[in-house]
Amino acid sequence: MAIENKPISKEIKTQAVIDSFKKLNPLVMIKNPVMFVVEVGTFITLILSIKPDIFGFDTVGRTYNIAVFLILLFTVLFANFAEALAEGRGKAQADTLRKTKSETTAKLRHKDGSYQDVPSTSLRKGDIVRVDTGEIIPSDGEIIVGLASIDESAITGESAPVIKEAGGDFSSVTGGTRVVSDFIIVKILTDPGESFIDRMISLVEGAARQKTPNEVALTTLLAVLTLVFLIVIMTLVPIANYLDVSIDVATLIALLVCLIPTTIGGLLSAIGIAGMNRVTQFNVLAMSGKAVEAAGDIDTMILDKTGTITFGNRMASEFIPVGSITEKDVTFASLKSSVKDETPEGRSVVELAHKNGLSWDENEYKDAEIIEFTAETRMSGLNLKDGTVIRKGAVDAIKKYIAAKGGSIPSDLEEKSNIVAKAGGTPLAVAINDKVYGVIYLKDTVKPGLKERFEELRAMGIKTVMCTGDNPLTASTIAREAGVDEFIAEAKPEDKIAAIKKEQDDGKLVAMTGDGTNDAPALAQADVGLAMNSGTMAAKEAANMIDLDSDPTKLLSVIAIGKQLLITRGSLTTFSIANDIAKYFAIIPALFIMAIPQLDYLNIMGLSSPKSAILSALIFNAIIIPLLIPVAMKGAKYKPMDANKLLSKNLFIYGFGGVVAPFIGIKIIDMLVSTLQFV
Ligand SMILES: Nc1ncnc2c1ncn2[C@@H]1O[C@H](COP(=O)(O)OP(=O)(O)OP(=O)(O)O)[C@@H](O)[C@H]1O
Ligand SMILES: [K+]
Ligand SMILES: [Mg+2]
């Protein structure tokens, strides 16, 4: 794993302590309204500590004011520490990544074909470079010539090299990875500072972090609650004046801070950052917290077949003749159809024909018009100078093509291609002019372990749909083998989008996983788009998550983290508010007793003195924040079970715990505090 999952080190903790002080800057604090109010209170009590009668009266004395000031200061620092600690882990990961981003030299190709050594940082979009064995790829791009095995461990942490080649879905290369065999010519696709590693760095560092809509809503709610309590506390002043009792300002501030939701206010951003951190620890890069939260609520998951469910290295394994065609003729026709096909499928056809002892004359195809493969036509081929047209492609596409030309379809084409499809292979029909020669058998392998994980998704109530450009028979075989619930075959890129939109129109949240350029629009349309790192640049750019291990079922982990994130936030909010209600019972009686000692019967908790009661409640309010940091960082306990059940279970635990904990905590603290001289 490139992104290390180390326990929080001493350095991170030390740095977090330093950062907690830096975050006292009011311009930073204002982003967190609840804690900003606490900071203002801290400032006022600081002044009261210096000049206790600044408001014209002093009923409590300097020491009490200093005590309130210190507890408030620690309350703010604890909240800052929680956030700094969560950020610290990401910063450490970013530093590790930065080290891999060493300055290298690139061989830039000029228009005249000559090469010049330039620093990798000077490369721009559109530049062409050559990378030889042992060299580091200078920036992100696409292989335009060649095939090489590449060590991507700097990014994925996986030490086994991967094969990358021009054409098709495995042509993208990432800056910072190393060519271990052969050479490649790469077209650079990013400008300096926008590369994949740059994006990874800013992601793990949280530089690009934006509050999610859920977080914004909760922050607003907490701010409103704070405002309400502020008004309530302010109205106490005229009431007290009317009763001719004076309530000191430090106590009013203490009361306010105890009543506003400081626990969740202090932990909210740490919860979000830690959630994103957990995602990266699974080797998934999430572009936004919003995507992670959306993952927690996913109803439907749509998957591309080749390269996502299967490994995607579709290789020709057999040439099957139809009608009266001989094996040699179909092999030759297949070879002809593929000599100019630069996709991995096309090259594998040429290779197999070679192995079967056939060769071709380059001259014969020199002036031929190349018909490149597209996901729309699902065909590729050549138009020769002499008028001969050669095509290969999806069987139904070739059938339509031949029918339009007025040719006849051999009676055994269906049967022969079905044999291939039933085995999970992709049959490609080959035709010259209006005559079908036979079928090319493209073999592919389903990635292991999918069935079990799709089973888990089903248990969570998530529907899986495979969406492929391949024929229905192949699709159904692979669908069965992989264990998806449904499949859509013969899907063009727009069909993939339509499939997603249809689910979304039914009010469903949809995740899409894919790797190809043709998947990019669908990845962008989905609520959660997970691209395989093995896939094309277009797919990775359109998606809002990238799995560095190219494992589509990784979404399962992200779903769990998303759900856990929402549950953690909900639980701690419940705890925080329940807590504040309990503190109300400790602190309000104290306030009245302080003013009117005859009201002592209100002291239901039997606290030793009004001052001790208030300080104890305030201390409890402060230390609950660091005590809950582990929950915020690790997330509330999560088991894959019915989400509603889990939520109500958590609400009960945290709600009940939130009411009971302060009574016990404040009582214990009061027993300790009451031994102090000044209270
Ligand atoms: N080089 C090629 N020449 C001709 N036809 C091809 C070629 N490659 C693929 N095909 C045909 O086009 C169909 C669609 O291919 P493509 O790889 O775009 O599928 P897709 O929509 O990405 O779906 P999936 O990746 O799930 O298979 C294939 O099933 C195959 O029949
Ligand atoms: K509080
Ligand atoms: Mg594909």
Side-chain angles (χ1 to χ4, degrees):
M1 224 189 259
I3 295 168
E4 289 158 74
N5 182 7
K6 279 192 270 185
I8 296 169
S9 69
K10 229 186 168 145
E11 293 83 62
I12 294 182
K13 284 183 191 153
T14 314
Q15 188 58 45
V17 171
I18 297 168
D19 288 345
S20 338
F21 282 91
K22 285 191 190 158
K23 285 175 185 282
L24 288 176
N25 178 353
L27 294 177
V28 178
M29 289 301 302
I30 192 113
K31 284 185 206 140
N32 184 344
V34 180
M35 292 323 285
F36 181 72
V37 167
V38 182
E39 187 172 46
V40 172
T42 312
F43 183 71
I44 297 172
T45 50
L46 172 64
I47 295 172
L48 280 168
S49 304
I50 300 163
K51 205 172 157 21
D53 60 352
I54 187 117
F55 295 107
F57 63 97
D58 171 23
T59 53
V60 287
R62 187 187 302 271
T63 322
Y64 176 77
N65 280 315
I66 293 176
V68 173
F69 159 69
L70 286 177
I71 303 167
L72 292 183
L73 178 63
F74 273 98
T75 310
V76 182
L77 287 175
F78 286 154
N80 288 352
F81 180 72
E83 188 182 68
L85 200 60
E87 286 170 347
R89 181 176 245 158
K91 286 203 178 110
Q93 290 168 342
D95 287 342
T96 319
L97 279 172
R98 263 196 206 96
K99 278 182 206 131
T100 67
K101 218 190 124 195
S102 52
E103 171 80 47
T104 49
T105 312
K107 281 180 267 184
L108 177 69
R109 189 171 83 184
H110 289 296
K111 284 236 165 60
D112 62 5
S114 67
Y115 283 93
Q116 184 199 355
D117 283 348
V118 298
S120 58
T121 44
S122 70
L123 293 175
R124 293 272 179 283
K125 232 181 245 179
D127 284 349
I128 309 278
V129 296
R130 180 187 161 114
V131 193
D132 285 282
T133 308
E135 291 176 347
I136 303 272
I137 296 170
S139 185
D140 302 351
E142 185 182 73
I143 302 180
I144 50 173
V145 180
L147 175 155
S149 58
I150 293 173
D151 172 5
E152 292 197 324
S153 57
I155 289 190
T156 62
E158 170 62 53
S159 54
V162 290
I163 304 288
K164 294 278 181 164
E165 54 185 326
D169 291 350
F170 293 105
S171 60
S172 84
V173 288
T174 314
T177 59
R178 203 165 48 89
V179 175
V180 287
S181 80
D182 304 285
F183 81 93
I184 45 176
I185 308 280
V186 175
K187 183 176 174 189
I188 302 298
L189 291 179
T190 50
D191 283 331
E194 292 166 10
S195 73
F196 192 61
I197 288 206
D198 289 316
R199 271 163 63 200
M200 262 175 98
I201 290 173
S202 80
L203 273 176
V204 295
E205 205 171 34
R209 193 184 115 83
Q210 278 181 328
K211 280 189 182 156
T212 69
N214 277 329
E215 246 181 301
V216 172
L218 187 52
T219 307
T220 312
L221 178 72
L222 297 181
V224 170
L225 263 178
T226 304
L227 189 67
V228 168
F229 280 117
L230 190 64
I231 294 168
V232 168
I233 299 290
M234 303 265 267
T235 53
L236 278 182
V237 178
I239 295 173
N241 282 344
Y242 177 75
L243 296 174
D244 208 22
V245 293
S246 46
I247 309 173
D248 73 288
V249 176
T251 300
L252 280 179
I253 292 172
L255 177 62
L256 174 65
V257 170
C258 281
L259 295 186
I260 62 177
T262 46
T263 313
I264 185 65
L267 295 173
L268 185 58
S269 85
I271 295 168
I273 297 167
M276 293 290 281
N277 255 325
R278 281 199 295 282
V279 174
T280 30
Q281 280 159 25
F282 276 98
N283 242 7
V284 174
L285 291 181
M287 305 304 159
S288 69
K290 192 178 160 191
V292 177
E293 283 179 14
D297 283 332
I298 286 301
D299 304 293
T300 310
M301 180 173 172
I302 297 193
L303 306 104
D304 165 65
K305 174 173 75 75
T306 312
T308 303
I309 287 185
T310 67
F311 282 107
N313 44 350
R314 277 191 293 214
M315 303 276 263
S317 71
E318 205 182 330
F319 300 114
I320 306 162
V322 293
S324 56
I325 304 289
T326 64
E327 194 170 329
K328 189 173 173 193
D329 286 341
V330 66
T331 306
F332 203 51
S334 304
L335 173 64
K336 282 182 174 172
S337 73
S338 303
V339 286
K340 297 286 177 191
D341 183 359
E342 284 302 322
T343 65
E345 287 87 352
R347 274 198 301 267
S348 77
V349 170
V350 174
E351 219 166 275
L352 184 65
H354 247 326
K355 236 191 251 164
N356 292 357
L358 289 189
S359 58
W360 72 95
D361 179 6
E362 182 68 41
N363 280 331
E364 206 182 316
Y365 305 102
K366 214 173 56 207
D367 302 316
E369 183 194 348
I370 302 168
I371 309 297
E372 278 183 41
F373 168 72
T374 68
E376 283 296 324
T377 61
R378 292 185 291 137
M379 286 193 296
S380 61
L382 292 175
N383 292 345
L384 299 188
K385 258 273 138 59
D386 65 6
T388 312
V389 289
I390 309 168
R391 290 289 184 277
K392 74 164 186 297
V395 177
D396 71 305
I398 292 288
K399 270 187 186 166
K400 272 188 208 131
Y401 178 79
I402 294 292
K405 277 187 158 312
S408 63
I409 312 292
S411 56
D412 57 344
L413 175 63
E414 179 92 21
E415 180 203 326
K416 297 269 167 72
S417 54
N418 282 357
I419 293 172
V420 172
K422 273 186 190 146
T426 298
L428 291 185
V430 186
I432 298 181
N433 294 327
D434 61 358
K435 187 166 175 184
V436 182
Y437 277 63
V439 174
I440 305 171
Y441 181 173
L442 293 179
K443 250 195 185 147
D444 200 355
T445 329
V446 172
K447 293 178 183 173
L450 297 188
K451 209 166 190 150
E452 296 73 19
R453 308 216 79 196
F454 286 143
E455 195 66 54
E456 283 180 57
L457 284 172
R458 197 168 303 122
M460 293 165 89
I462 295 166
K463 182 170 83 172
T464 49
V465 184
M466 183 181 86
C467 203
T468 174
D470 228 326
N471 70 82
L473 208 51
T474 306
S476 85
T477 307
I478 298 288
R480 206 175 331 109
E481 211 174 307
V484 290
D485 296 327
E486 292 172 16
F487 68 87
I488 302 171
E490 282 163 3
K492 292 181 179 165
E494 60 266 28
D495 298 327
K496 296 192 183 190
I497 297 187
I500 294 173
K501 279 202 179 132
K502 190 177 148 268
E503 294 284 323
Q504 286 173 333
D505 288 344
D506 289 345
K508 303 263 166 70
L509 271 181
V510 183
M512 159 88 199
T513 57
D515 70 325
T517 302
N518 62 338
D519 298 322
L523 285 166
Q525 172 68 36
D527 301 286
V528 176
L530 177 71
M532 305 291 99
N533 187 49
S534 62
T536 61
M537 207 66 89
K540 287 195 262 185
E541 255 160 31
N544 50 19
M545 280 184 210
I546 298 169
D547 180 33
L548 296 177
D549 301 324
S550 304
D551 171 4
T553 64
K554 200 68 86 58
L555 198 68
L556 200 61
S557 313
V558 184
I559 290 171
I561 294 168
K563 282 195 195 296
Q564 196 193 27
L565 182 66
L566 296 171
I567 289 171
T568 307
R569 200 183 283 144
S571 303
L572 290 183
T573 305
T574 312
F575 186 86
S576 184
I577 290 172
N579 234 293
D580 295 339
I581 294 169
K583 270 175 266 175
Y584 184 85
F585 286 101
I587 211 166
I588 295 281
L591 193 79
F592 282 106
I593 298 164
M594 207 191 263
I596 309 160
Q598 291 84 337
L599 292 178
D600 196 44
Y601 61 86
L602 286 178
N603 185 4
I604 38 174
M605 283 175 73
L607 301 175
S608 63
S609 77
K611 273 186 188 172
S612 171
I614 288 164
L615 290 181
S616 302
L618 204 54
I619 291 172
F620 178 85
N621 185 61
I623 58 172
I624 199 72
I625 296 176
L627 287 181
L628 288 175
I629 287 180
V631 179
M633 298 282 278
K634 282 203 209 94
K637 271 216 182 73
Y638 171 76
K639 260 189 286 173
M641 61 186 269
D642 187 83
N644 288 327
K645 253 192 216 152
L646 192 62
L647 189 63
S648 43
K649 188 178 145 210
N650 269 281
L651 289 187
F652 178 74
I653 293 172
Y654 283 86
F656 186 70
V659 172
V660 173
F663 283 107
I664 300 168
I666 292 170
K667 183 72 192 172
I668 293 171
I669 298 169
D670 174 72
M671 293 189 323
L672 299 172
V673 169
S674 60
T675 61
L676 296 173
Q677 281 288 310
F678 67 95
V679 292

